[in-house]
Amino acid sequence: LNTVHCARCHEPNRQAAYIPLVTADDWRARIDDVLRVITPAAPGRRPRMPADTQTALSDEERALIAQWKEDGLP
């Protein structure tokens, strides 16, 4: 999930490297922000992230990320 949808832009030497999402610590530090930007603002609208429409998250993938937070990002 992370490699396909997040790390491809949020890893070192990529356009969004200033917001790293590679390690578990990166995710722990940013999980609330991630959940906010991957959730559509209104029904039928695209979420802000992932910005690339070819890597859009499914509802199940968004739910999995929310579950990661609930589980304390093991």
Side-chain angles (χ1 to χ4, degrees):
L1 179 67
N2 183 43
T3 303
V4 172
H5 297 291
C6 306
R8 60 189 296 221
C9 295
H10 293 276
E11 66 184 1
N13 301 316
R14 297 295 188 148
Q15 67 265 33
Y18 60 94
I19 304 172
L21 288 173
V22 179
T23 69
D25 286 339
D26 294 340
W27 279 88
R28 280 186 199 96
R30 294 173 179 83
I31 190 66
D32 290 327
D33 293 330
V34 169
L35 289 169
R36 184 175 38 77
V37 298
I38 67 169
T39 303
R45 298 211 43 207
R46 269 189 39 76
R48 289 179 47 210
M49 290 288 139
D52 179 353
T53 58
Q54 297 175 10
T55 61
L57 290 164
S58 68
D59 291 339
E60 292 80 15
E61 290 167 326
R62 280 192 289 279
L64 178 61
I65 293 171
Q67 189 62 52
W68 290 350
K69 178 182 177 179
E70 291 296 315
D71 292 345
L73 291 160

